[in-house]
Amino acid sequence: QALGLKVIIWSRSAKSDPARGIEAVASLDELLARSDFVSLHCPLNTHTRGMINAEKLRLMKPTAYLVNISRGGLIVERDLIAALEAKA
């Protein structure tokens, strides 16, 4: 557990590691729906550009935090702005 939080991960190659308290989930959608904190750690390429868009943002809990440790292009900025303004 990291900082007392349950850690869930998603990637094409991720595997659960119960001994370390890490659970791999089947899809990005599942991860977004279940998470209180989402931290993005991936390269920017044709598969990841815009991976967080309006559809994905709607899956997240209204109280969730999104932290992009990677490249800005992973998130569709106009969709993020619209989601933030809608919750204001």
Side-chain angles (χ1 to χ4, degrees):
Q1 290 186 337
L3 304 172
L5 303 173
K6 180 177 181 167
V7 177
I8 60 175
I9 60 173
W10 172 80
S11 81
R12 292 179 294 191
S13 60
K15 294 184 177 148
S16 293
D17 187 348
R20 294 179 50 206
I22 298 171
E23 175 190 354
V25 296
S27 68
L28 177 59
D29 290 358
E30 180 182 356
L31 180 127
L32 294 172
R34 290 179 51 189
S35 297
D36 294 308
F37 297 89
V38 175
S39 182
L40 302 176
H41 301 262
C42 51
L44 180 62
N45 57 43
T46 57
H47 296 103
T48 62
R49 183 177 300 280
M51 68 186 283
I52 304 297
N53 56 26
E55 173 190 347
K56 299 299 184 193
L57 292 166
R58 280 192 295 274
L59 296 172
M60 295 178 70
K61 297 176 182 179
T63 55
Y65 290 86
L66 176 62
V67 180
N68 185 6
I69 304 299
S70 301
R71 309 299 294 190
L74 299 177
I75 301 172
V76 179
E77 190 173 315
R78 70 181 175 278
D79 292 350
L80 177 60
I81 292 168
L84 291 170
E85 289 175 343
K87 306 256 190 245

